[in-house]
Amino acid sequence: MTVQAAYDDSPTRPLAAPRRAGTRGPLALARAWGPFLVPAVLTVAVGLTGLATPAPGPRERLTRAVSALTPEQILATARDTDAVNTFYYLLMHFWTGLAGDDVTALRLPSVIAMGIGAGLAGGLGRRVLTPGAGVCAGLLLAALPAVSRWAQEARPYALAFLCATGATPLLYRTLDQPRWWRWAGYGCLVTLTGLLHVTALLVLAGHAFTVVSRWLLSRQPALFWWFPVTVLSLVPPAPLISLAARQRAAELAWHPHLPREIVEGLPAAGVLVIGLALAARWPDRALIRELAVLAVVPPVALLAATVLTGKAWTPGSALPALVPITLCAAAALRGLRFRAVVALLVVALLALPQQREIRSPDGHAGAVAADRRHAGDRRRRHAVRQRR
């Protein structure tokens, strides 16, 4: 029997942790559910803190106004503008009918979605790494200011983050044990991701790399079901995406001052987590490569599209990339329990100033300023067309 060398490129079956027969005690339950519950509860708790304090920005006021329309009016409005957010507005229409349209009610779905997404990130860490690494990755994610910022925004970013994050562990489970219902669930999550926010679909580039990587290692033909499933799952959101592209909707036509936006959006806590991620190590190097592609490709593609066309970057668009980044950071802290605790405390302390800032009454002022710049850009483009 051939013995695999450590740190080779052979699959070490990290996608589904081995089942432990007969272990149903408290420790087993903590290992199974802790990586999901701890980050989820903490993220929701942090998101609820000061939830109603920041004044709603223009985009949130737009959410309130459009969700107050009837479904027929929302669909009619989509034919003229903002088609890319139609599905989100329909969801918010039914939500506000139940919960009301005050600031807290409008933002609550985003808080819950971000919390569940953080829990799924921890669960993914448990599956592909270890339960401890899953908890560490989820806690790092919960401590980042960007997570709180977009958890407190009545826009589709958090919901798209939830669907994109949920699709990744489901894909890993399906690649490990292909079943038709798992492929169907994965396809539904991809469809919801596309309906909620088109740029979140960039996670599919990382998923494609994962499928090819696993096929090169295992040569299992069943893995290639990913391609037809993904194509079919993109059919429902395709009309909205096409219509939104023709409209040059706000999500696809924001011209930011790119360097300044990126620097301001990358706090010290984020820099530390990225630095830890760059030091990631794991016996299955193929897994680290897959996580690296998931972390790098979406933001790089968005930045490249923005540089070339000026029509792609929004601050919440790269949220799904935070999951593989924190997973790589947790892998870098593997076996270093004291250092992991210190790293978590340092990240939380570095994040405190921005956490307080985003909970101030003008905590969404950055979004307001961006909306004003976008409006000015549109007026200038309209003036140029009129002169021509």
Side-chain angles (χ1 to χ4, degrees), residues 135-227:
V135 173
C136 180
L139 292 178
L140 286 172
L141 191 64
L144 291 176
V147 172
S148 296
R149 171 64 180 83
W150 298 106
Q152 297 188 342
E153 180 85 0
R155 297 299 290 173
Y157 301 115
L159 276 71
F161 168 81
L162 167 61
C163 294
T165 302
T168 302
L170 185 54
L171 173 67
Y172 279 161
R173 181 61 185 271
T174 305
L175 295 180
D176 187 53
Q177 296 177 331
R179 298 291 188 274
W180 71 265
W181 60 86
R182 290 179 182 143
W183 284 121
Y186 173 79
C188 290
L189 286 175
V190 172
T191 297
L192 289 173
T193 301
L195 289 172
L196 286 165
H197 204 271
V198 58
T199 56
L201 288 175
L202 286 171
V203 298
L204 295 179
H207 291 179
F209 180 85
T210 299
V211 170
V212 174
S213 172
R214 293 292 155 179
W215 179 82
L216 291 174
L217 295 172
S218 65
R219 302 291 177 175
Q220 295 181 17
L223 302 185
F224 282 96
W225 275 105
W226 180 85
F227 293 97

Side-chain angles (χ1 to χ4, degrees), residues 50 55 66 110 125 129 135 178 190 214 226 233 244 246 263 265 274 293 314 347 350 362:
V66 177
S110 294
L129 300 173
V135 173
V190 172
R214 293 292 155 179
W226 180 85
S233 65
R246 292 196 302 270
V263 171
I274 292 173
V293 171
T314 53
V347 169
L350 291 175
D362 59 345

Side-chain angles (χ1 to χ4, degrees), residues 5 44 86 90 104 115 150 178 180 184 208 215 247 251 264 307 314:
V44 170
T86 300
L90 288 171
T104 300
W150 298 106
W180 71 265
W215 179 82
Q247 293 173 350
E251 280 69 22
E264 291 176 353
V307 170
T314 53

Side-chain angles (χ1 to χ4, degrees), residues 105-118:
L106 284 173
R107 293 172 176 170
L108 190 58
S110 294
V111 174
I112 296 172
M114 197 67 80
I116 297 174

Side-chain angles (χ1 to χ4, degrees), residues 284-306:
D284 185 1
R285 291 186 294 185
L287 173 64
I288 295 299
R289 285 196 295 268
E290 293 160 9
L291 293 176
V293 171
L294 276 169
V296 171
V297 169
V300 169
L302 284 168
L303 291 174
T306 302

Side-chain angles (χ1 to χ4, degrees), residues 59 62 66 69 73-87 89 155 240 242-253 374 378:
R59 301 296 182 87
L62 179 61
V66 177
L69 303 175
Q73 291 173 326
I74 294 174
L75 293 174
T77 302
R79 287 192 285 266
D80 299 322
T81 184
D82 212 10
V84 73
N85 289 319
T86 300
F87 184 71
Y89 291 144
R155 297 299 290 173
L240 285 178
S242 175
L243 179 57
R246 292 196 302 270
Q247 293 173 350
R248 297 173 178 263
E251 280 69 22
L252 299 176
H374 171 54
R378 283 189 298 179

